[in-house]
Structure formats: C-alpha cells, structure tokens
Amino acid sequence: AVGYKNHLSEGYPASHDAKIASYACNRDYHTTIKTMLRQMAEELKRDYPSLSGRAFVDSAPIAEKSYAVRAGLGWIGRNSLLVTPEHGSMLHLGELVISEEVDEYDTPAEGVGCGECRRCVEACPNGAILSNRTIDTRRCISCRTIEREGSETPITLDGWIYGCDACQSVCPFNRHAPEHRNPLFDPLFAPTALDAAAWLAMSDTEFEAMAGTTAMPRAGLERIKGNITFPMSN
C-alpha cells in the first residue's frame, strides 16, 4: 500500500467547477507501482535466485483489498476502500505474487476501524455508499466519470470531471494522514488553475502534453468534456 495524498486530497474550493481526483494528477500509478514491485522482486532474487513472480496493479482478478486486510494493512472502510491507520485510504495497492513461501506472515489489524463515523456516507452527493460497505456503481461519480456510461440513474457529478474524492476527503484518517514523500507521486499539473471553460477549449495535443503520463487518458479528453456538459444534458 503506497500513500499518494497531496494538497488536493482534502478538497477543492466550493466555486471550482472542474474537479479531478487527486491521484489522477500524478504519473499513472499502474506504471509507477508496478516498477516498484519489479524492483522489489529483483532485490529478493539476489538472495533467492530461484524465486520467480509477477507484479500486479489493478491488472489481474486479485481480491487485493481482501488480501490487504489479511496482511494486516488495515480494514475495509464504510466507503468500501481499504483504510490504514497511518495513511487512511489515500493509497494505491499493488501485489507481488511469488513462487516461494515466506517465513512469517502478518496478522489482520485489531482494535481499529471506522467506529460510528459516517462522514463518507454523508458526503457522497448521490448516496452511492451502501450499508454493507459496497458501492452502487450507478450512482458513484468516480465510476460514472471514468468507467460506466449509459446508466439511466439520474445523478449529479457535483463538478467532478474525472474521478471523485468526496468520500475520502472527509475521512478523519485521511485528514490526519501525511502527504506522500515519493516524488513520483507529485502532481504534474494544477487542476485548480483549469476551470470548465479551459477544459472545453483544450485540444488533444494540449491534453497529451499535460496529462499524457497520468491515468486520465483512460477516459480521454472527449469523455472528460462530456462529463463537464453532463449536468446540462441530465
């Protein structure tokens, strides 16, 4: 689990009309963390030459949050995300699956959790967080702006044009979490300097130059512009 919290992670000014999830302003975490895991594998192979393995970052059908809980990293919060005592939920998960048993395993965390706190539930503009700690993806802004199209469920995007931090920015664990220390997670551009009009006027060449190495090309500029006009057509 690698923390990515930055100065954007605690929210945008109320007047800002083109919000981007704070992780999406950085280099694409899939590439960054997979590189870190492969470096770890090379370190292990120095001591165990016969060891083999593969690195995964959202790239295989692995129940990574469940494994993270079993590994003692944290617990599943009300917003369905893994929450750690030190870094909250502003983190990325990656796995190194190796061919050898290890000599000791951690145990699940005890004595910590969300308690009676429901701030994430109350902060979601569309009520997408369900009582069983799962997400109604039809109502989730992050899902609707990146992954899911065509749902007839009426929702508001609340100014978000790529992803959403609403349920995370209010979490007490995230409020007290330190910002990232790895420069690979430094934001590559300042979304607070770009309003909706600036995004609508942006060319593909400008988008590639600014955000081509982030995770944002996954949705693409056309989809992002559609997210801006979505409230008008909805």
Side-chain angles (χ1 to χ4, degrees):
V2 183
Y4 65 81
K5 180 180 175 181
N6 57 45
H7 65 281
L8 298 167
S9 299
E10 293 188 2
Y12 284 80
S15 60
H16 195 65
D17 60 358
K19 297 180 286 188
I20 297 169
S22 54
Y23 80 86
C25 303
N26 316 331
R27 292 173 179 83
D28 189 343
Y29 70 92
H30 299 87
T31 302
T32 300
I33 296 180
K34 190 168 286 189
T35 298
M36 295 167 68
L37 289 169
R38 287 170 176 163
Q39 290 171 344
M40 182 187 294
E42 291 303 315
E43 292 288 337
L44 290 171
K45 286 181 180 180
R46 288 193 177 97
D47 292 327
Y48 305 94
S50 64
L51 181 143
S52 62
R54 291 184 62 187
F56 300 103
V57 183
D58 289 345
S59 54
I62 294 176
E64 57 182 14
K65 289 187 291 185
S66 297
Y67 280 121
V69 171
R70 290 174 60 184
L73 296 182
W75 65 96
I76 302 300
R78 292 192 191 282
N79 60 359
S80 86
L81 299 175
L82 181 81
V83 183
T84 70
E86 181 180 358
H87 294 287
S89 63
M90 294 282 185
L91 45 82
H92 298 303
L93 299 178
E95 301 80 46
L96 182 63
V97 180
I98 60 174
S99 57
E100 306 294 332
E101 290 283 333
V102 300
D103 51 19
E104 184 178 354
Y105 290 95
D106 289 333
T107 56
E110 296 181 352
V112 290
C114 298
E116 299 299 317
C117 180
R118 293 176 54 84
R119 293 184 190 181
C120 61
V121 178
E122 296 162 357
C124 179
N126 299 303
I129 302 175
L130 306 181
S131 59
N132 61 353
R133 305 195 180 207
T134 63
I135 301 296
D136 181 348
T137 57
R138 299 168 301 174
R139 297 179 178 277
C140 175
I141 293 174
S142 184
C143 193
R144 289 286 289 270
T145 56
I146 303 173
E147 308 285 357
R148 190 184 188 94
E149 290 185 288
S151 173
E152 296 180 357
T153 303
I155 68 168
T156 175
L157 297 186
D158 198 35
W160 293 94
I161 65 172
Y162 187 97
C164 179
D165 284 338
C167 68
Q168 297 196 82
S169 61
V170 297
C171 174
F173 287 98
N174 287 330
R175 288 284 184 178
H176 297 112
E179 291 194 6
H180 72 280
R181 296 187 294 270
N182 188 329
L184 292 175
F185 295 99
D186 290 345
L188 299 179
F189 63 95
T192 51
L194 298 167
D195 60 11
W199 281 100
L200 289 173
M202 188 177 297
S203 68
D204 290 335
T205 301
E206 291 169 331
F207 177 70
E208 177 63 26
M210 182 186 72
T213 58
T214 72
M216 295 185 71
R218 179 173 184 172
L221 182 58
E222 182 179 354
R223 175 78 180 274
I224 291 170
K225 290 182 177 181
N227 292 334
I228 295 173
T229 59
F230 172 88
M232 303 174 193
S233 61
N234 196 40

